[in-house]
Amino acid sequence: MRVLDTAALLHWPLTKLNGKVVLGQRDELIRIAPDREIILDAAELDWMTPSPENIQQATKLAKSTGDLAGLSNTDLELLALTIQLDAILVTDDYRLQNCCAASSLVYETVMTTGISEKWSWYLVCTGCGEINQNGDVSSKQNNHGTCANCGSKYKMRKIQNE
Ligand SMILES: [Zn+2]
């Protein structure tokens, strides 16, 4: 069972749109992409409202990870619904992913096939903070060489391509 965030509702084809959603997403979606309404009506979606207890749990979780301030009401409801149904949360929101990772919740990304285009990696020096865009980020051993400026180790960072 999956709880789908708004990015999934926006980007997934009708055949894939099968899951649980919260009521707040409908207004959000119709505002962003009015032409998706017909698709939403045709999709197999359960529009739900999480219980106050689960909202409370979600709030507590988001507070503990420091993500609460960055989450919208809809985000919080999605997290609460995921807790309530013990479902998989489909989201590209890193705050929601962070909340899932901090508890026992499972998440999936919306653009599962597009990950290589969506993210790029670069190296950043742990000493002076210099960014090396051309470094070797393919190493699995976490050995990405050392900084030409200060000799400290590089570590990998990823950035989202918009
Ligand atoms: Zn350095």
Side-chain angles (χ1 to χ4, degrees):
M1 188 193 305
R2 282 174 172 76
V3 171
L4 309 180
D5 90 346
T6 305
L9 296 184
L10 275 172
H11 299 296
W12 278 7
L14 177 59
T15 48
K16 220 177 154 185
L17 279 177
N18 184 333
K20 317 285 178 190
V21 284
V22 299
L23 280 168
Q25 284 172 278
R26 201 182 171 92
D27 292 341
E28 196 177 311
L29 207 97
I30 289 167
R31 206 173 49 237
I32 313 172
D35 52 326
R36 287 290 282 181
E37 191 175 6
I38 293 166
I39 290 170
L40 289 189
D41 285 337
E44 284 185 56
L45 299 170
D46 288 326
W47 298 89
M48 301 181 72
T49 306
S51 74
E53 292 78 30
N54 286 295
I55 299 254
Q56 238 170 43
Q57 249 181 294
T59 308
K60 216 174 124 187
L61 172 59
K63 215 179 255 176
S64 75
T65 61
D67 293 305
L68 186 62
L71 295 177
S72 69
N73 274 343
T74 301
D75 292 337
L76 210 56
E77 283 187 11
L78 287 168
L79 187 61
L81 195 61
T82 305
I83 295 170
Q84 184 171 327
L85 303 171
D86 196 21
I88 296 165
L89 179 58
V90 179
T91 183
D92 282 343
D93 186 308
Y94 69 93
R95 295 182 200 89
L96 286 176
Q97 293 175 352
N98 194 34
C99 288
C100 288
S103 61
S104 56
L105 299 168
V106 180
Y107 70 85
E108 286 174 0
T109 53
V110 175
M111 313 298 268
T112 33
T113 51
I115 272 180
S116 57
E117 294 124 33
K118 206 161 163 35
W119 296 96
S120 42
W121 294 90
Y122 64 93
L123 298 175
V124 58
C125 172
T126 53
C128 68
E130 195 186 73
I131 288 164
N132 181 349
Q133 301 264 20
N134 306 314
D136 176 20
V137 293
S138 61
S139 170
K140 293 249 191 314
Q141 283 79 43
N142 231 1
N143 178 13
H144 307 293
T146 52
C147 174
N149 287 341
C150 72
S152 301
K153 277 186 171 175
Y154 280 125
K155 68 178 180 187
M156 276 168 69
R157 281 270 174 81
K158 69 176 179 180
I159 44 169
Q160 196 167 4
N161 301 325
E162 292 293 0

